[in-house]
């Protein structure tokens, strides 16, 4: 046997070529197969690691991973397995790991450096467990708030998504994939997964290829530029063709046009779905042929792919060249990460890395910068005369709601009886601890259940079982709970109501047709309002809710989304004024579900410009957020009055902190193509800086805007920058009333 591929002195390309030449068809197809350890018996998993030559396993930890790798090392060619895990906001499936804010919450920070550090810390904890690969980040645009997976996105805007995704990819993959503390990133779900009709997960997507390139491809292009090692194809169809079967989008756009040289993995059983749910293939052999032809390299959890693909190659329906291309990509990554020299990132897991002081400190810092103050009618920060706070609401002391999806509570098998790992701070514990330091007393009342009583058959069986036994979620005596809370809170100086949704209302299989606060929570809020005491609401939720009553009736409103381990401490520090809030919304809020879509970058031309029975503007728009300081913007100035496509135009603006408290301001830049050959959005976010400005200080802020990014997609589906007038806007959020405008001509 020629074992040159085992020589680390050779390049990854040379080693790949040498190994591929020695592989049998069965060994090649094995590398293209990924097995879910959580779905097969142990003896079957052992067979896949040994005699069927699987290329990867997912959802396997600890001793099980080491055992399977030992079996792979006993095969003829000793090709190591890659172990993948859903480390979505921290290594969350591992109890004891650092649980960071979700992507949506982290995006509120508008701090790419912190998001990169979050990726770095997550990589260290995943690698400390011996694993190689996370199925993160999510690059889907959160534009339909009904969609169940909004919480996993970085929000609605392509530019912000690209910035945040690139940052976390750099964090995951570090300086070198060979380092002991780096892991492979996976950009998903390619492409336009969140744009399904009606916000229905994995459903039909009524968009064109031009819209794909215009709105949904740019973040993935940034992921390629950042060196993302793997991509994942989504469930959905575009132009009627499931992405897993789409040569145009996978081989064409991703591999050929963007030059992606890593490997592509399907989402869960996408190949099986081609002949099951989507019914575009008659059998698994046809489905396998479609998937390989489209350019998918590794098939997740479609175990029957192995035999089907072998049969198709032997029958001539799958050319061996397609197989070789896929296997080369997988092997190249394995060699690039030094897997043949070190088959596990850590031979012995290093528990000292999990929730280490450095990672916990980072987690708290990110949580602090992610809290968004949406309303403040003069009650925050809390006055020194405050002596008694009443904390009320179903999410006040619920770590499940605060963590959100993709943690050891929910995956790979839901287990809500699990005792949560310390340390963590719910809203209640965070407020209690800080109140004690300020010599303030705290009372607490649940107030109501988090959901209204509904038909349990709306939920999958495992959720029905939990809900039937948890009085805090749906089956409590709400009349008694509300009465107790309203009566008790009437004695407080200020009421803090912690409301929102829960894990059973977010995630896969949980699209929503109604985004209102549950009726029972609304009843509680109205009762608390009737006490006449100042009312502060903290939202703990996986997506924007339709809460116009809250906007109009409460004295202050904090949005925290799913804020991770220290969301309660971060929110408490904002309440007491220890932190000047600096979070900004990466996603817009609607007044009513019928107002959707409300993302800021709408197209012009709608007769009337609004629904006749709903407001024109969103409830809260992209980029919006308040603080305890007011910032004054001077007149924006440009480095160019005329430019070419090769130039970078810098917009400069003086920003003054006119308040009495030092704080961050997120200075935002938008463009508008004044007259174009295609209809283009009324605004496009193109740059920002988050800057610390001391009270009374003026700082000049420069934001570079590369003209090459001012593109539209023409009739030939090419990106072009058309000559003409461009308007540049600068301000604190996407509301036209907040922005100042200047102009530049592109020649």
């Amino acid at each position: 046997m020629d074992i040159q591929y085992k020589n680390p002195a050779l390049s990854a390309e040379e080693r790949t070529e040498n190994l591929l030449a020695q592989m049998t068809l069965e060994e090649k197809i094995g590398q293209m197969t990924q097995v879910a350890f959580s779905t097969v018996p142990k003896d079957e998993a052992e067979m896949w690691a040994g005699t069927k030559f699987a290329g990867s396993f997912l959802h396997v930890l600890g001793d099980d991973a080491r055992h399977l790798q030992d079996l792979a090392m006993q095969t003829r060619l000793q090709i190591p397995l890659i172990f993948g895990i859903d480390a979505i906001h921290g290594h969350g499936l591992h109890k004891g790991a650092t649980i960071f804010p979700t992507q949506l919450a982290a995006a509120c920070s508008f701090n790419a450096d912190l998001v990169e550090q979050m990726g770095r810390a997550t990589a260290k904890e995943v690698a400390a467990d011996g694993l190689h690969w996370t199925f993160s980040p999510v690059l889907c645009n959160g534009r339909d708030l009904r969609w169940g997976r909004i919480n996993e996105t970085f929000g609605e805007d392509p530019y912000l998504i690209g910035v945040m995704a690139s940052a976390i990819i750099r964090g995951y993959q570090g300086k070198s994939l060979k380092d002991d503390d780096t892991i492979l990133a996976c950009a998903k779900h390619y492409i336009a997964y969140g744009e399904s009709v009606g916000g229905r997960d994995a459903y039909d997507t009524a968009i064109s290829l031009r819209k794909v390139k215009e709105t949904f491809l740019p973040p993935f292009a940034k992921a390629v530029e950042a060196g993302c090692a793997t991509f994942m194809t989504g469930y959905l169809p575009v132009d009627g063709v499931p992405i897993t079967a789409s040569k145009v989008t996978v081989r064409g756009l991703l591999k050929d046009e963007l030059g992606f040289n890593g490997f592509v993995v399907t989402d869960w059983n996408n190949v099986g779905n081609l002949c099951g749910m989507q019914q575009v293939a008659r059998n698994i052999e046809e489905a396998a042929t479609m998937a390989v032809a489209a350019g998918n390299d590794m098939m997740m959890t479609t175990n029957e792919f192995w035999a089907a693909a072998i049969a198709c190659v032997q029958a001539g329906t799958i050319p061996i060249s397609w197989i070789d291309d896929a296997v080369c990509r997988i092997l190249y990554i394995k060699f690039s990460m030094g897997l043949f020299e070190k088959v596990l990132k850590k031979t012995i897991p290093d528990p000292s890395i999990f929730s280490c002081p450095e990672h916990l400190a980072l987690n708290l810092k990110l949580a602090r910068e992610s809290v968004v103050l949406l309303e403040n009618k003069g009650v925050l920060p809390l006055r020194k005369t405050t002596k008694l706070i009443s904390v009320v609401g179903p999410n006040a002391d619920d770590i499940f709601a605060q963590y959100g999806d993709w943690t050891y509570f929910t995956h790979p098998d839901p287990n809500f009886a699990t005792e949560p790992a310390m340390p963590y701070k719910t809203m209640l514990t965070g407020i209690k601890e800080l109140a004690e330091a300020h010599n303030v007393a705290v009372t607490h009342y649940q107030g109501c259940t988090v959901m209204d009583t509904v038909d349990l058959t709306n939920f999958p069986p495992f959720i029905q079982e939990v809900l039937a036994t948890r009085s805090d979620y749906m089956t409590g005596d709400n009349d008694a709970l509300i009465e107790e809370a309203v009566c008790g809170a009437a004695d407080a100086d200020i009421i803090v109501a912690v409301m929102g949704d829960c894990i059973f209302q977010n995630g896969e299989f949980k699209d929503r047709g109604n985004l209102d606060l549950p009726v029972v929570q609304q009843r509680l809020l109205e009762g608390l309002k009737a006490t006449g005491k100042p009312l502060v609401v903290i939202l703990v939720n996986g997506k924007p809710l339709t809460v116009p009553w809250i906007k109009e009736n409460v004295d202050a409103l904090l949005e925290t989304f799913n804020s991770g381990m220290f969301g309660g401490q971060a929110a408490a520090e904002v309440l007491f004024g220890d932190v000047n809030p600096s979070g900004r919304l990466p996603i817009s809020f609607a007044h009513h579900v019928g107002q959707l879509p409300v993302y800021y970058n709408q197209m012009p031309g709608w007769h009337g410009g609004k629904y006749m029975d709903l407001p024109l503007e969103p409830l809260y728009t992209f980029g919006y957020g308040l603080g305890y300081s007011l910032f004054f913007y001077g007149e924006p100035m440009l480095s160019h009055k005329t430019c070419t496509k090769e130039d970078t135009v810098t917009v400069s603006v003086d920003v003054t902190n006119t308040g009495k408290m030092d704080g961050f301001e997120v200075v935002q830049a938008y463009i508008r193509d004044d007259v174009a050959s295609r209809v283009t959005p009324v605004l496009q976010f193109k740059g920002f800086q988050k800057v610390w400005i001391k009270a009374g200080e003026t700082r000049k802020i420069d934001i570079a805007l590369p003209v090459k990014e001012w593109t539209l997609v023409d009739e030939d589906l090419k990106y072009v920058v058309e000559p003409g007038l461009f308007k540049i806007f600068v301000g604190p959020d996407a509301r036209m009333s907040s922005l100042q405008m200047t102009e530049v001509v592109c020649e």
Side-chain angles (χ1 to χ4, degrees):
M1 186 188 308
D2 183 357
I3 59 170
Q4 292 184 61
Y5 68 90
K6 293 189 175 182
N7 181 2
L10 298 178
S11 68
E13 292 86 352
E14 291 171 318
R15 299 175 76 181
T16 296
E17 182 179 356
N18 176 260
L19 177 54
L20 183 71
Q22 300 178 65
M23 295 175 70
T24 65
L25 177 60
E26 290 77 11
E27 289 166 334
K28 291 178 180 180
I29 304 297
Q31 287 300 300
M32 298 173 67
T33 307
Q34 183 183 65
V35 180
F37 185 76
S38 58
T39 64
V40 296
K42 185 176 181 179
D43 59 345
E44 185 176 340
E46 292 172 339
M47 177 184 67
W48 278 108
T51 57
K52 287 192 172 181
F53 321 107
S56 175
F57 277 82
L58 72 158
H59 296 167
V60 53
L61 304 173
D63 291 339
D64 291 322
R66 285 184 287 280
H67 174 61
L68 294 175
Q69 195 70 282
D70 287 343
L71 294 176
M73 290 298 94
Q74 295 171 30
T75 59
R76 184 178 71 93
L77 295 174
Q78 299 179 325
I79 303 175
L81 295 158
I82 295 178
F83 292 113
I85 197 75
D86 286 291
I88 306 300
H89 51 115
H91 187 22
L93 275 59
H94 185 289
K95 184 177 179 180
T98 308
I99 310 295
F100 286 97
T102 57
Q103 280 193 193
L104 187 61
C108 294
S109 72
F110 275 69
N111 191 328
D113 290 339
L114 285 183
V115 171
E116 181 172 347
Q117 292 176 51
M118 167 182 162
R120 191 85 290 277
T122 299
K124 289 179 179 180
E125 296 196 10
V126 172
D129 214 15
L131 309 179
H132 310 107
W133 185 16
T134 176
F135 303 121
S136 172
V138 172
L139 278 69
C140 304
N141 302 53
R143 303 191 342 151
D144 192 324
L145 306 182
R146 294 170 293 181
W147 185 41
R149 303 186 74 171
I150 289 290
N151 63 305
E152 297 179 52
T153 75
F154 282 123
E156 70 188 37
D157 179 69
Y159 176 80
L160 182 63
I161 295 167
V163 169
M164 293 299 181
S166 298
I168 204 168
I169 288 166
R170 292 192 298 270
Y172 289 145
Q173 297 189 169
K175 295 179 180 179
S176 171
L177 293 177
K178 291 184 178 181
D179 290 344
D180 288 345
D181 61 356
T182 61
I183 57 176
L184 304 176
C186 184
K188 68 180 192 183
H189 307 80
Y190 186 83
I191 189 170
Y193 177 37
E195 199 67 5
S196 55
V197 174
R200 303 172 185 179
D201 191 50
Y203 189 57
D204 180 47
T205 305
I207 57 174
S208 64
L209 188 59
R210 180 178 178 275
K211 178 60 71 174
V212 165
K213 295 192 70 172
E214 177 184 71
T215 303
F216 305 103
L217 189 62
F220 287 97
K222 292 295 185 185
V224 173
E225 291 176 13
C228 191
T230 70
F231 271 54
M232 180 186 292
T233 50
Y235 298 104
L236 74 160
V238 169
D239 282 345
V241 180
I243 293 297
T244 303
S246 174
K247 295 180 184 178
V248 171
T249 56
V250 183
R251 283 199 189 275
L253 284 185
L254 179 57
K255 291 184 172 180
D256 295 339
E257 186 170 325
L258 296 185
F260 174 64
N261 60 8
F263 72 81
V264 176
V265 62
T266 72
D267 208 337
W268 189 279
N269 194 31
N270 275 13
V271 179
N273 287 338
L274 295 176
C275 59
M277 293 179 64
Q278 293 171 317
Q279 298 177 300
V280 296
R282 289 174 294 185
N283 51 49
I284 190 60
E285 288 77 18
E286 281 193 0
T289 301
M290 288 179 177
V292 177
N296 300 278
D297 305 306
M298 184 178 286
M299 318 303 160
M300 180 189 287
T301 69
T302 307
N303 296 347
E304 58 268 37
F305 167 81
W306 186 75
I310 291 171
C312 289
V313 174
Q314 292 171 339
T317 55
I318 296 181
I320 191 65
S321 60
W322 291 353
I323 300 297
D324 286 349
D325 176 66
V327 177
C328 279
R329 288 171 175 270
I330 295 166
L331 294 178
Y332 175 80
I333 293 297
K334 289 187 175 185
F335 284 120
S336 296
M337 61 192 298
L339 196 59
F340 283 75
E341 288 68 59
K342 193 168 187 178
V343 298
L344 289 172
K345 283 290 181 180
K346 296 284 186 180
T347 305
I348 301 175
D350 184 358
S352 68
I353 300 297
F354 304 131
S355 292
C356 65
E358 177 187 357
H359 295 175
L360 296 181
L362 169 65
N363 199 355
L364 176 57
K365 186 174 184 180
L366 181 57
R368 284 170 174 156
E369 293 200 23
S370 299
V371 175
V372 187
L373 179 62
L374 293 176
E375 296 290 337
N376 186 18
K377 298 168 185 174
V379 301
L380 296 182
L382 296 176
R383 297 182 179 90
K384 292 183 179 180
T385 55
T386 301
K387 296 302 178 184
L388 177 61
I389 300 172
S390 187
V391 179
V392 181
N395 282 348
D397 200 31
D398 187 353
I399 196 61
F400 299 148
Q402 192 168 305
Y403 276 7
D405 208 359
W406 297 105
T407 72
Y408 54 88
F409 297 126
T410 61
H411 290 82
D413 298 309
N415 186 1
F416 295 97
T418 300
E419 185 70 22
M422 295 293 286
Y424 63 86
K425 301 290 175 64
T426 64
M427 298 296 155
L428 176 64
T429 55
I431 292 170
K432 273 186 171 181
E433 290 182 8
L434 204 54
E436 184 177 355
H438 286 266
N439 198 29
V440 175
V442 175
T443 58
H444 169 237
Y445 305 95
Q446 179 185 325
C448 66
T449 58
V450 71
M451 290 191 291
D452 297 321
T453 300
V454 298
D455 185 353
L456 284 176
T457 60
N458 290 336
F459 298 94
F462 70 87
I463 294 181
Q464 294 181 34
E465 182 179 344
V466 175
L467 292 179
T469 59
R470 291 289 298 264
S471 62
D472 51 338
Y473 279 97
M474 199 169 66
T475 58
D477 184 349
N478 281 304
D479 289 339
L481 289 170
I482 291 172
E483 181 180 3
E484 177 191 34
V486 171
C487 291
D491 295 328
D493 297 313
I494 193 164
I495 302 169
V496 177
V498 188
M499 320 300 275
D501 59 29
C502 65
I503 186 59
F504 303 114
Q505 296 166 294
N506 291 283
E508 292 181 276
F509 310 104
K510 304 186 191 78
D511 311 318
R512 291 182 63 177
N514 182 350
L515 299 175
D516 293 345
L517 208 62
V519 171
V520 66
Q521 291 192 40
Q522 184 64 36
R523 286 176 53 205
L524 173 62
L525 283 176
E526 291 175 7
L528 296 173
K529 175 71 174 177
T531 66
K533 295 302 177 72
L535 177 59
V536 176
V537 169
I538 299 176
L539 290 176
V540 176
N541 47 317
K543 63 173 62 180
L545 302 175
T546 47
V547 289
W549 186 93
I550 289 179
K551 176 180 172 62
E552 295 301 322
N553 288 278
V554 305
D555 297 287
L557 173 61
L558 295 182
E559 175 58 83
T560 65
F561 291 119
N562 303 117
S563 53
M565 300 175 81
F566 297 121
Q569 181 175 342
E573 290 173 344
V574 168
L575 292 177
F576 281 93
D578 295 356
V579 167
N580 191 346
S582 64
R584 303 293 184 262
L585 290 179
I587 193 165
S588 301
F589 281 54
H591 286 265
H592 183 277
V593 70
Q595 193 187 17
L596 297 178
V598 293
Y599 46 82
Y600 82 93
N601 49 349
Q602 300 272 327
M603 295 294 185
W606 183 8
H607 285 195
K610 64 182 288 293
Y611 290 104
M612 55 82 60
D613 52 354
L614 287 169
L616 171 63
E617 299 292 338
L619 187 68
Y620 298 108
T621 194
F622 176 87
Y624 179 76
L626 304 173
Y628 297 148
S629 297
L630 292 176
F631 294 92
F632 174 78
Y633 283 67
E635 182 181 354
M637 305 295 291
L638 296 180
S639 60
H640 299 64
K641 280 298 182 181
T642 62
C643 64
T644 69
K645 292 180 285 188
E646 288 73 37
D647 288 331
T648 293
V649 175
T650 299
V651 59
S652 302
V653 63
D654 288 337
V655 180
T656 303
N657 183 344
T658 63
K660 298 180 180 180
M661 191 173 184
D662 301 346
F664 283 110
E665 173 69 338
V666 180
V667 182
Q668 303 165 37
Y670 299 81
I671 71 162
R672 178 193 295 166
D673 193 340
D674 196 47
V675 177
S677 63
R678 296 291 180 273
V679 179
T680 56
V682 295
L683 278 180
Q684 297 181 68
F685 187 49
K686 291 296 180 182
F688 68 97
Q689 277 200 41
K690 187 169 190 176
V691 290
W692 182 259
I693 307 178
K694 295 180 179 179
E697 180 186 14
T698 297
R699 289 191 58 181
K700 180 186 176 185
I701 310 303
D702 299 323
I703 300 177
L705 303 172
V707 179
K708 67 181 180 181
E709 296 184 0
W710 302 359
T711 58
L712 57 77
V713 179
D714 69 9
E715 62 182 359
D716 298 320
L717 298 183
K718 302 295 184 183
Y719 290 106
V720 297
V721 178
E722 293 186 336
L725 179 69
F726 285 84
K727 294 180 177 178
I728 311 295
F729 300 84
V730 179
D733 57 64
R735 295 175 299 171
M736 292 305 299
S737 60
S738 300
L739 298 171
Q740 297 190 70
M741 186 268 290
T742 184
E743 298 176 344
V744 62
V745 174
C746 185
E747 297 177 334

